[in-house]
Amino acid sequence: MTTPRSAQVDRFVADADASGADALPRRNGELVFDTPWESRSFGLAISLAQKGLIEWEEFRGQLIEEIGAWEAGHAADSDEWSYYEHWLASLEHVLLDGELLTLEELETRTAEVAEAQAHEHDHEHGHGHDHGHGHGADGAGHPQTTLPEVQ
């Protein structure tokens, strides 16, 4: 069943012609994710909004604010630009403001993920066998992040 809240989020995601600060990065009309964490943070925010755990317009407003603040201090063609860094910062802000997470919980989980990903990249991959220390579900070294379950 599509709720008005879910429909609002779905329209945002589906609008391949969107423009403006919060428009999703696309190539040939398809969403673009350069790294796995980008798609995970995207999916988490969308799911939380569709389930009513965060308010979509609050998140979207925070995203626009985050991007605007960055643009005010950087050149438009800066190599430092990352849409999904702003997406994630906005999500963190909304989760903390809404008291869905504490700062301690966020920092702890961030450290756990960073440590797991650092281990994933501390040695050569592609050596043709799994030796049981977390090369991800596909054995190819892609970090597998366990995010809190959204209910």
Side-chain angles (χ1 to χ4, degrees):
M1 178 173 88
T2 301
T3 64
R5 176 186 349 247
S6 181
Q8 183 182 36
V9 176
D10 293 344
R11 279 191 303 274
F12 175 81
V13 173
D15 188 0
D17 296 323
S19 61
D22 65 329
L24 292 166
R26 296 179 187 268
R27 277 189 210 114
N28 297 321
E30 298 294 322
L31 293 175
V32 175
F33 304 102
D34 292 328
T35 61
W37 74 263
E38 293 175 346
S39 62
R40 290 182 188 123
S41 64
F42 171 81
L44 182 59
I46 296 299
S47 184
L48 289 169
Q50 288 176 327
K51 293 181 183 302
L53 297 171
I54 63 172
E55 289 297 324
W56 179 250
E57 284 304 314
E58 179 185 355
F59 170 76
R60 191 170 162 263
Q62 184 62 41
L63 178 59
I64 291 168
E65 187 177 314
E66 290 276 343
I67 292 170
W70 186 89
E71 287 176 339
H74 295 83
D77 61 349
S78 174
D79 289 339
E80 298 173 21
W81 169 253
S82 170
Y83 179 87
Y84 289 106
E85 284 182 18
H86 302 294
W87 180 279
L88 184 57
S90 300
L91 179 58
E92 291 172 352
H93 182 90
V94 169
L95 291 172
L96 291 170
D97 273 6
E99 298 180 352
L100 295 170
L101 280 179
T102 66
L103 184 57
E104 181 180 1
E105 289 168 329
L106 179 61
E107 289 173 347
T108 298
R109 187 64 186 129
T110 300
E112 289 169 355
V113 170
E115 182 177 328
Q117 289 180 342
H119 178 73
E120 291 291 329
H121 299 285
D122 67 358
H123 63 278
E124 190 66 32
H125 293 283
H127 40 69
H129 67 278
D130 179 15
H131 41 92
H133 62 270
H135 283 295
D138 62 2
H142 301 113
Q144 301 297 311
T145 304
T146 304
L147 297 172
E149 184 175 324
V150 177
Q151 300 193 14

